[in-house]
Amino acid sequence: MAVIFMLLSVCLFGAYPFIASLGGQTMAPGFIVSVTHLIAASGIAIFFLARFGWTRLQTALKITDTVKFRHCMTLFAFDGLCNAFSNIFLILAIVSYDKYTTSLIFDGWPMLSMVIIPLFLAKSYRLRVKDYIFSLVSFAGLAVVVSNSAQSAVGIKTMDSTGLFLAFGAMFLMAISSMVNLKAEHLFVKSVSVERLAPKRIAIDIVSSSMANAISRLFSGSVSIAYFFFVDNTMSSTGSLDAYNVCLLVLFALIVTFGGIFYVVANIRSASSGINLIWNLTPLVAVALLFSSGVGGAPGAEIFLGAILIVAANLAVSME
């Protein structure tokens, strides 16, 4: 089941760079992230209200451990901050820098999270020396892509180098966000009575991860609103809210809602952090969509070489 959930997450988030490249051309990043994340949080809340009713939700969300609840809310707030800026940075980067390179950089965040996950869940996860070795091979593939694109961008645009840094910033912040979210959800389940809504274990995992996703999106949406007003600065930067942009916003909301839920559930159901390695199929989905749609142009040989190194390293670890 963990593999299935991770594959679903891969398909959804693999489409993110493609949607971001379209939306980033017509709408401000702060506006996109704030609207879609708040839609995601609201959608989850509405579903739970319709499915369980207000009375059952009140009972299930009754705080049983105040200290743990306050701790998890603090973590959710930090998670929302990291998640918001990760998405904003990604949209800015994919508009100003090479789309294939940006996508490959950003999609490396689960590999980074695999390396740092023991810091958050030391008792549950263990990494082998081989995991670190193959991680280095994977990042070597990423280095091939970045070095080539960086050389080709020299002297073209000042924003190009900024876009590269934004892409790495998006990757780092998303890795931190995902790990903080796992820890926050772990505390959230212990501080309320979620089991009253779902008696079976897998149902509890899905319900708790959905609630955690909604809380995280509420915080990230709020941060993005502040970014929109203080950095994007003008209401005209929302772009034209025609049918095209509205459809893009809906697709964004679907991706951040279900992609995040499936990723968290996959980690919960897995006994090893190696489950995150499946995520590295995401670059293949992202590159395929960018290429088939024509949005990314024709990918160079370094894109394929880097992708091969990344995927080969990750498959080697998965097969161990």
Side-chain angles (χ1 to χ4, degrees):
M1 289 300 294
V3 173
I4 293 175
F5 281 121
M6 186 59 76
L7 287 174
L8 289 172
S9 183
V10 164
C11 292
L12 286 170
F13 279 117
Y16 195 101
F18 169 65
I19 303 300
S21 65
L22 298 177
Q25 297 287 349
T26 57
M27 294 179 285
F31 176 74
I32 293 173
V33 178
S34 61
V35 171
T36 56
H37 283 218
L38 291 177
I39 287 176
S42 301
I44 295 173
I46 291 172
F47 171 79
F48 277 109
L49 281 172
R51 176 65 178 81
F52 300 109
W54 178 244
T55 302
R56 288 187 65 187
L57 280 178
Q58 278 187 310
T59 302
L61 295 176
K62 184 177 181 180
I63 300 174
T64 57
D65 190 321
T66 304
V67 175
K68 288 182 179 179
F69 183 78
R70 288 177 179 173
H71 188 191
C72 79
M73 285 299 109
T74 301
L75 290 176
F76 275 131
F78 181 62
D79 166 35
L81 178 67
C82 293
N83 194 284
F85 277 99
S86 175
N87 282 276
I88 290 171
F89 287 174
L90 173 61
I91 296 172
L92 289 172
I94 208 164
V95 170
S96 63
Y97 198 66
D98 177 70
K99 293 175 174 55
Y100 292 112
T101 303
T102 300
S103 177
L104 288 173
I105 291 173
F106 178 72
D107 287 335
W109 71 261
M111 179 63 75
L112 180 59
S113 71
M114 185 198 74
V115 176
I116 65 176
I117 196 172
L119 298 176
F120 293 86
L121 300 171
K123 295 182 180 180
S124 304
Y125 290 87
R126 291 290 184 273
L127 291 178
R128 304 161 300 175
V129 175
K130 290 182 178 180
D131 292 331
Y132 290 105
I133 293 175
F134 287 121
S135 295
L136 290 176
V137 175
S138 180
F139 282 118
L142 186 59
V144 171
V145 177
V146 173
S147 62
N148 186 282
S149 62
Q151 290 175 9
S152 63
V154 172
I156 298 177
K157 277 186 180 182
T158 303
M159 186 58 186
D160 279 334
S161 59
T162 304
L164 180 61
F165 286 111
L166 287 171
F168 274 107
M171 177 187 70
F172 177 76
L173 288 173
M174 186 57 72
I176 296 298
S177 173
S178 66
M179 294 303 98
V180 173
N181 186 276
L182 282 175
K183 183 66 175 180
E185 182 183 345
H186 180 70
L187 291 173
F188 177 71
V189 172
K190 289 188 174 183
S191 63
V192 294
S193 305
V194 179
E195 68 278 358
R196 296 184 180 182
L197 296 178
K200 295 182 179 180
R201 180 60 193 174
I202 182 62
I204 293 176
D205 292 341
I206 295 175
V207 168
S208 61
S209 64
S210 298
M211 287 185 172
N213 189 289
I215 296 171
S216 175
R217 296 294 170 260
L218 181 61
F219 279 113
S220 61
S222 300
V223 170
S224 300
I225 289 176
Y227 178 91
F228 172 64
F229 281 108
F230 290 101
V231 180
D232 288 337
N233 205 22
T234 63
M235 288 301 291
S236 61
S237 61
T238 60
S240 175
L241 287 181
D242 52 17
Y244 173 76
N245 283 336
V246 170
C247 286
L248 290 178
L249 290 173
V250 171
L251 288 174
F252 267 116
L254 290 175
I255 290 172
V256 299
T257 302
F258 293 103
I261 290 174
F262 292 152
Y263 180 81
V264 172
V265 172
N267 275 278
I268 292 173
R269 300 299 294 170
S270 177
S272 169
S273 62
I275 187 68
N276 290 298
L277 295 173
I278 297 176
W279 180 267
N280 286 276
L281 293 175
T282 305
L284 300 180
V285 177
V287 169
L289 282 174
L290 289 172
F291 176 68
S292 61
S293 65
V295 171
E302 77 283 351
I303 296 296
F304 293 104
L305 176 59
I308 289 172
L309 287 174
I310 293 171
V311 174
N314 295 337
L315 288 178
V317 175
S318 300
M319 293 171 62
E320 286 290 330

